[in-house]
Amino acid sequence: MLTGKHLIAGQWIEADKTFRSATINQTDADFAVGRVSDVANAVTAAEQAFETYGYTTRAARAEFLNKIADEIDVLGDEITAVGCAETGLPEARLVGERGRTTGQLRLFAKHILDGDYLDRRHDGALPDRTPLPRADLRMIQRPIGPVAVFGASNFPLAFSTAGGDTAAALAAGCPVVVKGHSAHPGTGELVAQAIDKAIFACGLPAGVFSLIQGGNRDVGTALVQHPLIKAVGFTGSLGGGRALFDLCAARPEPIPFFGELGSVNPMFVMPNKLEADTDALAAGWAQSLTMGAGQFCTNPGIAVTVAGASSAAFIAQASKALSEAQAQAMLTDGIADAYRSGVATFDGTNADRVLRTEDAQGRSALPNLYRVSAQDWLKNHALHQEVFGPLGLVVEADSTEQMVELARHLEGQLTCTVHLNESDYDAAKALLPVLERKAGRVLANAFPTGVEVCDSMVHGGPYPASTNFGATSVGTLSIRRFLRPVCFQDIPKELLPADLVD
Ligand code: NAP
C-alpha cells in the first residue's frame, strides 16, 4: 500500500507540501514534496552507514542484494499495477522490466562473490633490490562513499529506484540516496518499501538507502552539491544531466557525475544489404522506432542510406508501416509536449516530411518520418539531436564514402548500427573505425533497442551519450564507477581490508 511519504534512513517521513502523480487511469495519489532538509538528513545517515556498510563482507552484501530482489518479487503485482498507471507502459513491459531489475540485483550478488571486480594486485617486497629496495605494495578497489541516484522516466524499474545505478553502488559497498522521479513516485515508493524490508531483514544500518520523492528541483541540486555525496549516477535527458553535471564540476570538491543521456543511435544501411532486404529492413526499423512510443534511449532515430531506387523503396515501406501504427500513450504530458515541439523543430528545417500524421492529442503520440540529403543534414545541427519519441529521419548519402563522412560528424552515441552483407564488407572496413570512436556499442544486422545485462555490455559512449566515456551504466562493469583503487604499502596484514589478505 502506498503511503506517499519519503523513506529517510528507515523512517517514513511526511511533508508539509504534496504533489499529485499523474496517472493514466485517474487513480492519482498525493506524494510528499522533497525538502533540502530531507537531503541533509538522508546524506548524513548515509555517511554514518558507510562506516559499517563500506566494510561489510561481500557475502553480506550479496545476501542483501538477493533479499531486495526477493522483496520486489513479493510486491510484483502491485508494482506492475501502479507502474502501468503512472507511466502508461503496458503490463507485459512492466513485468519484463521487473524481471530485468531483479535479475540485475542477483547478477551483482554473484559478481561480487566471484571477486574479480576487486582487481587485486600485489607487488611483493624486494628488500635486497639495488639501488633501492621495494616496499610490499597491494592494490584493491574500495567503495567511494554515499552515492546519489537519479532515475529516468522511461524505465521506472530498471533505471530507477533499485535499478542499475543503485544495484551497482550497493554491491560496491556504497549507501545510496535516490531522488525519486516525479513521473513514477508510487512505483518508486513500492520499490523503496522492498529495500527497507531487506535492510531490516539483513540487519544493516538504516542509512544504507533513502528515497526522497521529487516535486521540487531544489532537492536534486542540493543532493549533488552535498559535501558528503561522493558520486552521482544519473539517467535522463541531456538538459537535466548537463545542469547537474555542471553543479558537480563546480563544487569545492568536484565529484564524478555518471550521466547516461540521450542518443539518436544511427543505423548505416549499406547498399547491397539494402537492395537485398529492403522490405524487412523497413519493417524492422518501423517496429523499433515505435516500440514503447519510441521512448527508448536506444531508439534508432536516424537511418543512413545511399540514395537511389532501394533507398526510395525503403523510405516508402517504412512510411507505410509507420502510418499503420496506433497512437500510443507517452510517459508524461511534458514528454508528449516535448515530442510535438521536436516535430515542429524538424518541420522548420530543410528535411522533407515523408509521413504526415495528425498531431495526437494530450499524452499520446503518432510516428513521424523525414528524409534529408547528406549535404543538408551536415548543415543543420537540429537534425543531429534526439527527439524523444517515434520520429525517424532517413539521411541519404551520395556514396558509401559520404556515409563515412557523415559518421565523422556524429556526436557521441550509445549505439551505432551497420546493416550489411558480405558484399558490403569492403565499404564497412572504412566505416567501422569511425563508428567505434563514436559509440559505446557497435552492432551489425540488428536493432539497438534492447540492452543485454551481462559482463560485456557497454551502455554509455562519448559525450553527449554519457558524461564519462570510460564507463557503462549497464552490466557488471558498471560497479567500477563507485570504486576507487587504493594502494596499501607495507600495511601489516592484520590491518589490511579482509579482501586483500592472502
Ligand atoms: P529528465 O527530465 O532529465 O529527468 C531525470 C531526472 O533528473 C528526474 O529526477 C528529474 O527531476 C531530474 N532533473 C531533470 N532536470 C533537472 C534539473 N535541471 N535540476 C535538477 N533535477 C533535474 O529525463 P527523463 O525525461 O526522465 O528521461 C528521458 C531521457 O532519458 C531521454 O532523453 C532518454 O534518451 C534518456 N535515457 C537515457 C538512458 C541511458 O541509459 N543513456 C536510459 C533511459 C533514458 P523531476 O522528477 O523533477 O523531473
Side-chain angles (χ1 to χ4, degrees):
M1 226 184 71
L2 291 174
T3 68
K5 299 177 183 175
H6 310 294
L7 171 64
I8 297 180
Q11 304 293 316
W12 289 94
I13 306 284
E14 286 183 13
D16 35 15
K17 283 194 195 149
T18 57
F19 70 99
R20 205 122 245 256
S21 63
T23 60
I24 210 94
N25 58 4
Q26 311 298 315
T27 54
D28 301 3
D30 289 326
F31 291 89
V33 171
R35 296 161 298 198
V36 173
S37 58
D38 297 320
V39 172
N41 293 339
V43 177
T44 305
E47 175 65 18
Q48 280 163 5
F50 183 62
E51 288 169 14
T52 49
Y53 188 69
Y55 297 87
T56 45
T57 62
R58 287 180 279 134
R61 293 200 300 282
E63 184 195 352
F64 176 41
L65 293 167
N66 284 325
K67 186 69 181 157
I68 297 173
D70 294 346
E71 293 293 347
I72 290 174
D73 282 340
V74 170
L75 289 178
D77 290 345
E78 200 180 346
I79 291 174
T80 303
V82 172
C84 289
E86 287 184 327
T87 62
L89 294 170
E91 183 180 333
R93 161 68 200 279
L94 261 287
V95 171
E97 199 181 317
R98 176 156 47 85
R100 176 182 163 152
T101 306
T102 52
Q104 199 160 246
L105 287 157
R106 293 182 176 117
L107 178 68
F108 271 112
K110 181 178 171 305
H111 185 61
I112 58 173
L113 286 176
D114 290 347
D116 290 351
Y117 80 101
L118 294 167
D119 192 11
R120 288 170 278 209
R121 297 164 191 219
H122 182 200
D123 292 291
L126 298 175
D128 301 327
R129 190 179 70 173
T130 55
L132 288 172
R134 183 172 79 187
D136 184 80
L137 298 158
R138 292 163 193 256
M139 191 276 277
I140 193 171
Q141 302 289 331
R142 295 291 303 143
I144 54 173
V147 169
V149 169
F150 294 70
S153 55
N154 59 338
F155 281 91
L157 296 169
F159 283 89
S160 193
T161 313
D165 288 348
T166 299
L170 292 177
C174 300
V176 169
V177 179
V178 170
K179 203 296 275 174
H181 201 297
S182 47
H184 53 258
T187 315
E189 187 198 317
L190 290 172
V191 173
Q193 289 178 10
I195 300 175
D196 188 35
K197 286 196 182 118
I199 290 174
F200 186 74
C202 296
L204 294 171
V208 160
F209 177 84
S210 292
L211 165 71
I212 307 172
Q213 292 287 9
N216 174 8
R217 286 270 160 102
D218 291 349
V219 167
T221 55
L223 186 57
V224 303
Q225 293 181 100
H226 196 290
L228 294 174
I229 288 292
K230 295 298 171 199
V232 181
F234 174 95
T235 309
S237 64
L238 175 57
R242 183 62 201 237
L244 294 170
F245 169 86
D246 288 343
L247 288 176
C248 287
R251 287 168 43 128
E253 178 201 356
I255 53 168
F257 178 86
F258 297 100
E260 293 294 332
L261 313 176
S263 192
V264 283
N265 304 293
M267 308 189 314
F268 290 80
V269 192
M270 306 305 281
N272 294 300
K273 178 71 176 174
L274 184 60
E275 191 180 345
D277 284 329
T278 316
D279 292 359
L281 285 164
W285 187 41
Q287 192 185 24
S288 193
L289 266 181
T290 49
M291 191 190 295
Q295 301 167 114
F296 280 97
C297 48
T298 48
N299 198 35
I302 288 182
V304 183
T305 61
V306 172
S310 298
S311 179
F314 171 76
I315 294 170
Q317 285 299 326
S319 179
K320 181 168 178 296
L322 290 170
S323 70
E324 288 159 6
Q326 302 291 313
Q328 287 176 279
M330 297 203 85
L331 293 153
T332 64
D333 287 340
I335 287 174
D337 285 345
Y339 174 63
R340 280 189 278 272
S341 95
V343 170
T345 301
F346 267 53
D347 282 341
T349 67
N350 43 16
D352 306 323
R353 202 197 244 258
V354 178
L355 173 65
R356 196 168 281 281
T357 54
E358 292 297 314
D359 256 5
Q361 298 304 306
R363 197 169 150 174
S364 60
L366 282 161
N368 285 283
L369 182 64
Y370 295 80
R371 84 154 274 295
V372 72
S373 70
Q375 292 293 357
D376 284 343
W377 182 80
L378 286 168
K379 279 186 232 154
N380 200 328
H381 192 65
L383 299 174
H384 301 211
Q385 307 294 305
E386 176 193 43
V387 175
F388 195 54
L391 184 147
L393 171 67
V394 180
V395 183
E396 292 191 300
D398 296 338
S399 61
T400 54
E401 288 76 19
Q402 197 179 30
M403 278 183 157
V404 177
E405 180 63 12
L406 289 176
R408 286 205 176 92
H409 284 84
L410 287 170
E411 296 185 327
Q413 304 289 332
L414 293 168
T415 70
C416 284
T417 301
V418 193
H419 289 280
L420 77 179
N421 60 28
E422 275 188 41
S423 321
D424 295 308
Y425 283 3
D426 279 345
K429 276 182 188 157
L431 186 58
L432 262 293
V434 182
L435 298 187
E436 178 203 291
R437 295 185 63 188
K438 297 289 179 179
R441 180 163 57 112
V442 182
L443 53 155
N445 293 330
F447 295 94
T449 27
V451 183
E452 184 75 23
V453 182
C454 60
D455 290 332
S456 20
M457 179 48 64
V458 174
H459 191 61
Y463 187 83
S466 85
T467 53
N468 292 74
F469 59 76
T472 171
S473 67
V474 176
T476 52
L477 187 64
S478 66
I479 196 172
R480 287 296 288 267
R481 296 173 300 166
F482 306 122
L483 296 164
R484 64 183 185 90
V486 179
C487 174
F488 292 89
Q489 181 169 335
D490 282 339
I491 301 292
K493 276 190 182 171
E494 293 76 6
L495 303 179
L496 284 171
D499 279 326
L500 206 42
V501 179
D502 291 338

